[in-house]
């Protein structure tokens, strides 16, 4: 039987659980997670390799996790929504994911229209069913409401966090994919360069350790990434927008920066399988989120030639 493959876009509002689903399906942490909206700022590619079984062909599902759909109010926000559209454009299937603990509103309606207009088949995933516990009766009205819309090919309740019903979801995704090539070699699960993943791991610490406006005003740029024989030397700049934010990020006597650095270093060491020497700096760049030029600079896909060049040196 023919090999099946294709691109599958994960679409949803901020905080619905898109990145958690990506990580759960791929089986590795490729995308950072936090309860704060706008954690994911780029589309993130993750590959699920499915071997051929008795009467089933092998398959490759190329998942694209995307930033949450929202009304953009900055250059950064517009860039994020651009990432969503690009991911949708090349996809054979859309997984629209909603949080079942939230009552559907206008933003969900907008999302449904967006999915419908794409002309691509859409599965609706009702996520976080683990939170309903004994309240599973809440699920039925939601399923009824959504199944009235002529948009969804499947409606599947899941828990991305507890990995519930993902075994049901996977074969349905494969069925929806056309025959196609093996786009990625079997050992490859993402296209993200390690240095970008390191920057994201550092940003995740900022999301976890700081509050109010600080997480949204921060971006991380890896300025040096050098794999030496015994360790990897990484220097990264944490950009924020105001001196007050810088003071918070550094903390009293540098405690905050040290705490974030230690936690990030341990995770990067696990990811790379080497020891890591991590240097963090905090820099202020007023209103960087409004700067189209700076926001474009942050996109690692724009630096691919440079990155490949650096690796070959
Ligand atoms: P995204 O913004 O859509 O990518 O959402 P994330 O994957 O970053 O998750 C947002 C928050 O929801 C995090 O705190 C997750 O731990 C949580 N979350 C995601 N999926 C589930 C789920 O199935 N059950 C529960 N209880 N929490 C979830
Ligand atoms: Mg996300």
């Amino acid at each position: 039987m023919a090999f099946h493959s294709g691109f599958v876009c994960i679409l949803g509002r901020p905080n619905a659980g898109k990145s958690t689903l990506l990580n759960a399906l791929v089986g590795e942490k490729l995308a950072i997670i936090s309860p704060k909206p706008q954690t994911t700022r780029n589309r993130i590619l993750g590959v699920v390799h499915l071997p051929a079984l008795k009467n089933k062909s092998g398959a490759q599902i190329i998942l694209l996790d995307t930033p949450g759909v929202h009304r953009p109010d900055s250059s950064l926000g517009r860039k994020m929504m651009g990432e969503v559209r690009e991911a949708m454009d090349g996809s054979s299937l859309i997984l629209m994911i909603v949080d079942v603990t939230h009552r559907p509103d206008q933003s969900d309606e907008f999302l449904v229209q967006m999915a419908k207009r794409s002309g691509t088949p859409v599965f609706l995933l009702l996520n976080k069913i683990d939170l309903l516990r004994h309240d599973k009766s809440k699920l039925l009205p939601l399923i009824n409401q959504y199944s009235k819309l002529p948009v969804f090919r499947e409606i599947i309740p899941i828990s991305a966090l507890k990995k519930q019903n993902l075994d049901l979801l996977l074969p349905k995704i494969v069925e929806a994919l056309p025959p196609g090539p093996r786009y990625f070699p079997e050992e490859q699960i993402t296209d993200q360069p390690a240095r970008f993943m390191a920057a994201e791991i550092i940003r995740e610490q900022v999301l976890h350790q700081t509050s109010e406006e600080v997480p949204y005003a921060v971006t991380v740029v890896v300025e040096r990434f050098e794999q030496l024989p015994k360790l990897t030397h990484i220097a990264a700049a944490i950009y924020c927008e105001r001196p007050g934010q810088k003071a918070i990020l550094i903390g009293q006597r540098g405690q905050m920066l040290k705490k974030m650095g230690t936690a990030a270093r341990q995770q990067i060491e696990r990811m790379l399988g080497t020891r890591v020497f991590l240097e963090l700096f905090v820099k202020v760049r007023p209103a960087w989120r409004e700067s189209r030029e700076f926001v474009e600079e942050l996109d690692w896909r724009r630096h691919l030639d440079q990155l490949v060049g650096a690796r070959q040196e």
Side-chain angles (χ1 to χ4, degrees):
M1 239 193 296
F3 192 83
H4 282 239
S5 63
F7 287 74
V8 176
C9 172
I10 306 176
L11 183 74
R13 294 175 59 180
N15 226 28
K18 298 176 293 299
S19 299
T20 305
L21 178 67
L22 174 85
N23 293 344
L25 290 176
V26 175
E28 291 275 346
K29 182 166 168 182
L30 294 179
I32 60 168
I33 310 287
S34 97
K36 301 192 171 85
Q38 303 182 20
T39 297
T40 308
R41 292 183 180 158
N42 301 77
R43 63 186 187 284
I44 295 177
L45 183 150
V47 188
V48 183
H49 299 273
L50 297 168
L53 292 172
K54 272 179 283 170
N55 50 358
K56 279 199 180 128
S57 62
Q60 191 167 82
I61 305 170
I62 300 149
L63 295 163
L64 296 170
D65 177 23
T66 62
V69 171
H70 67 290
R71 206 187 293 274
D73 60 358
S74 65
S75 286
L76 177 64
R78 282 186 287 280
K79 167 77 178 167
M80 284 160 65
M81 291 308 295
E83 293 276 300
V84 177
R85 276 190 299 276
E86 275 184 37
M88 283 176 78
D89 278 350
S91 291
S92 313
L93 177 68
I94 291 172
L95 303 177
M96 178 178 145
I97 176 163
V98 300
D99 179 339
V100 291
T101 64
H102 285 246
R103 196 190 282 272
D105 62 19
Q106 275 184 337
S107 305
D108 295 281
E109 174 60 23
F110 178 75
L111 203 64
V112 172
Q113 291 310 323
M114 199 173 156
K116 189 178 168 189
R117 270 200 311 272
S118 72
T120 307
V122 188
F123 288 3
L124 177 68
L125 307 181
L126 301 171
N127 190 33
K128 310 198 186 183
I129 54 168
D130 58 296
L131 292 177
L132 296 180
R133 290 198 191 88
H134 305 297
D135 250 359
K136 294 270 189 302
S137 59
K138 286 207 177 127
L139 210 50
L140 220 56
L142 208 57
I143 293 176
N144 281 337
Q145 193 180 338
Y146 276 115
S147 52
K148 285 200 191 99
L149 306 172
V151 180
F152 305 112
R153 187 184 280 200
E154 301 274 353
I155 298 181
I156 307 169
I158 63 163
S159 166
L161 188 69
K162 307 281 182 199
K163 299 189 165 68
Q164 287 169 5
N165 281 356
L166 302 187
D167 50 341
L168 218 122
L169 170 64
L170 271 176
K172 289 194 192 296
I173 296 177
V174 175
E175 271 171 43
L177 293 182
R182 216 180 281 272
Y183 289 97
F184 291 90
E186 218 139 324
E187 65 284 355
Q188 191 176 353
I189 54 168
T190 188
D191 65 345
Q192 299 179 85
R195 63 186 288 154
F196 173 74
M197 292 178 76
E200 287 287 274
I201 289 169
I202 297 162
R203 195 164 62 83
E204 187 178 47
Q205 283 307 313
V206 175
L207 284 159
H208 286 182
Q209 305 286 351
T210 66
S211 59
E212 293 175 34
E213 92 284 5
V214 181
Y216 307 102
V218 161
T219 189
V220 177
V221 176
V222 168
E223 296 183 338
R224 178 173 176 191
F225 189 96
E226 209 176 342
Q227 282 175 312
L228 303 168
K230 287 207 172 130
L231 89 176
T232 307
H233 185 169
I234 301 173
I238 302 178
Y239 280 92
C240 59
E241 293 193 319
R242 290 206 299 267
Q245 296 162 348
K246 178 173 175 175
I248 292 170
L249 288 161
I250 293 174
Q252 279 192 341
R253 293 192 301 277
Q255 285 300 317
M256 178 59 99
L257 199 60
K258 196 169 166 195
K259 190 171 167 187
M260 295 191 302
T262 305
R265 175 179 52 76
Q266 288 167 348
Q267 277 206 47
I268 298 169
E269 285 181 340
R270 272 200 295 278
M271 172 182 80
L272 296 175
T274 69
R275 285 185 50 222
V276 167
F277 175 56
L278 177 63
E279 287 178 284
L280 292 180
F281 309 92
V282 182
K283 296 185 179 175
V284 178
R285 187 178 166 124
W288 69 260
R289 282 175 287 179
E290 296 304 331
S291 162
R292 233 187 96 187
E293 198 188 349
F294 186 73
V295 167
E296 285 298 336
E297 271 296 299
L298 293 172
D299 186 346
W300 63 261
R301 288 184 168 90
R302 302 225 154 213
H303 304 288
L304 218 49
D305 294 345
Q306 266 163 277
L307 291 171
V308 171
R311 216 177 300 150
Q312 285 167 348
E313 266 165 27

